[in-house]
Amino acid sequence: MLVFAASDKGGTGRSVTSANLAYQRALAGDHVAYVDFDFGSPTAAAVFDVPGAMRGTEERGLHSYLEGTVTEPARIDVWRQTEHPQLRARPNQAGRLVLLPGDAGGGEFAVGEDALERCVDLLLRLHGEFDLIVVDLSAGRSYAVDMALAATAHPRMRYVPFRWLVFHRWTRQHVIAAAGLVHKDHGIIRGGVERGHDEEALQGAVRFVRAAVPDPDSPLWSQGTPAQAAWMQSCDETLRRLAAEHGIGDSVVLGAVPLEPALQWCERLITEEDVLSVQIANKETLAALEEIARRLTDDSYWGRS
């Protein structure tokens, strides 16, 4: 299963949330590959706390592979190479967790036919080796998004299942931007159809993840005034109406991640130890990540919207 992580804007929590989803699936026993196609800012290794590749790898990154200067991209065994103390103690039931990093100092680049063929080759090999492949794409309608749409429309990929997660924060600008990335001219749906995708099938493969969603009833906001509480409730209702009007209402949302300081400030993986032992993260956040990770392959959440 391929899962493409996309967002129209930066700062949506796309990378940190999708990394957490990959981690949760590996904890559950799946073999998981995390592919860093955020070509302009390949920093996924920082979320996994892997030294030496925090801003991409110095050799054999995905840029180099796609451009044909190396025959095989670098792989990082996260369990073995992370400096995160909880991750080093890999649970016995956990599956593999492998990061394919981008090149340090890389950037966006136009996708030619040779690069597309190499992309298809890579995704097919990973599909044969891993249960889940999470592909983190550059923000906006980027070359990475174009390549993902072209690759999944390729005849050799016809039997490889794929899904799209579009991340956005719970604000007016982010809701409008996420809807535009998917539904407007040059968006994912129309761009996919131009490359040969069936419109209805592609529409059914897209779900949204709301990140950094404040809960007006959370104790985090209990010190606010009654006027602030009423205002927050009103804002939340207004955003729900806006999302529905733009085609990204609750029926096409895979899940929402609460506003969480450990994610916002540290951009880290949330572990049970963070919640139960050191208590730097909230149990609601961990529960939300676990549930979204479970829903990734639950067909009941991926029916026709």
Side-chain angles (χ1 to χ4, degrees):
M1 171 74 72
L2 292 169
V3 175
F4 295 99
S7 66
D8 189 66
K9 291 177 172 289
T12 61
R14 181 195 69 247
S15 295
V16 67
T17 307
S18 58
N20 269 279
L21 299 180
Y23 166 63
Q24 289 297 329
R25 291 303 296 252
L27 281 181
D30 286 341
H31 298 309
V32 181
Y34 191 95
V35 181
D36 195 349
F37 272 10
D38 187 352
F39 297 126
S41 182
T43 56
V47 182
F48 292 106
D49 205 2
V50 174
M54 295 293 192
R55 294 187 59 82
T57 183
E58 295 296 335
E59 56 183 16
R60 294 198 306 118
L62 288 167
H63 264 93
S64 299
Y65 168 76
L66 291 171
E67 292 176 336
T69 59
V70 299
T71 58
E72 191 67 26
R75 296 188 179 199
I76 294 173
D77 184 327
V78 174
W79 298 118
R80 290 178 178 272
Q81 295 180 244
T82 182
E83 290 188 340
H84 193 302
Q86 278 78 50
L87 268 65
R88 290 299 297 270
R90 172 185 176 181
N92 290 333
Q93 77 277 10
R96 296 169 63 202
L97 182 56
V98 174
L99 167 66
L100 280 71
D103 285 271
E108 289 288 327
F109 61 98
V111 180
E113 196 60 35
D114 289 344
L116 176 60
E117 289 294 333
R118 281 188 282 270
C119 177
V120 170
D121 286 342
L122 174 65
L123 295 179
L124 285 172
R125 291 200 307 274
L126 293 176
H127 175 63
E129 184 178 350
F130 293 90
D131 301 301
L132 182 71
I133 303 100
V134 179
V135 185
D136 184 13
L137 303 171
S138 308
R141 181 60 195 273
S142 61
Y143 287 122
V145 170
D146 288 341
M147 182 164 57
L149 289 170
T152 49
H154 196 284
R156 289 198 288 142
M157 295 279 286
R158 67 171 63 93
Y159 299 117
V160 179
F162 65 87
R163 286 167 177 172
W164 286 76
L165 292 183
V166 178
F167 293 82
H168 65 89
R169 293 172 65 93
W170 197 223
T171 71
R172 183 172 181 270
Q173 288 188 9
H174 278 265
V175 167
I176 294 171
L181 176 64
V182 175
H183 297 301
K184 298 302 182 182
D185 292 340
H186 311 297
I188 289 172
I189 301 301
R190 294 187 186 179
V193 171
E194 290 172 359
R195 285 161 176 76
H197 283 279
D198 175 79
E199 182 173 357
E200 184 174 353
L202 184 56
Q203 185 85 39
V206 177
R207 290 294 180 269
F208 295 83
V209 176
R210 297 171 181 168
V213 178
D215 179 2
D217 299 320
S218 169
L220 187 64
W221 312 104
S222 61
Q223 302 304 313
T225 67
Q228 286 175 321
W231 176 77
M232 289 181 66
Q233 291 283 0
S234 176
C235 287
D236 187 64
E237 292 169 5
T238 299
L239 286 169
R240 288 182 181 279
R241 288 195 299 271
L242 181 68
E245 291 167 1
H246 282 78
I248 65 171
D250 292 351
S251 66
V252 289
V253 172
L254 197 67
V257 181
L259 185 62
E260 171 63 65
L263 292 177
Q264 299 301 303
W265 296 342
C266 296
E267 296 183 317
R268 58 181 287 146
L269 298 181
I270 302 295
T271 67
E272 284 193 350
E273 287 80 2
D274 293 331
V275 174
L276 301 177
S277 300
V278 295
Q279 298 182 1
I280 62 170
N282 296 297
K283 65 179 184 299
E284 293 82 4
T285 303
L286 180 59
L289 292 168
E290 291 172 340
E291 183 64 9
I292 297 171
R294 184 186 69 79
R295 292 176 179 178
L296 282 176
T297 53
D298 186 340
D299 289 339
S300 65
Y301 291 93
W302 294 86
R304 178 76 174 99
S305 59

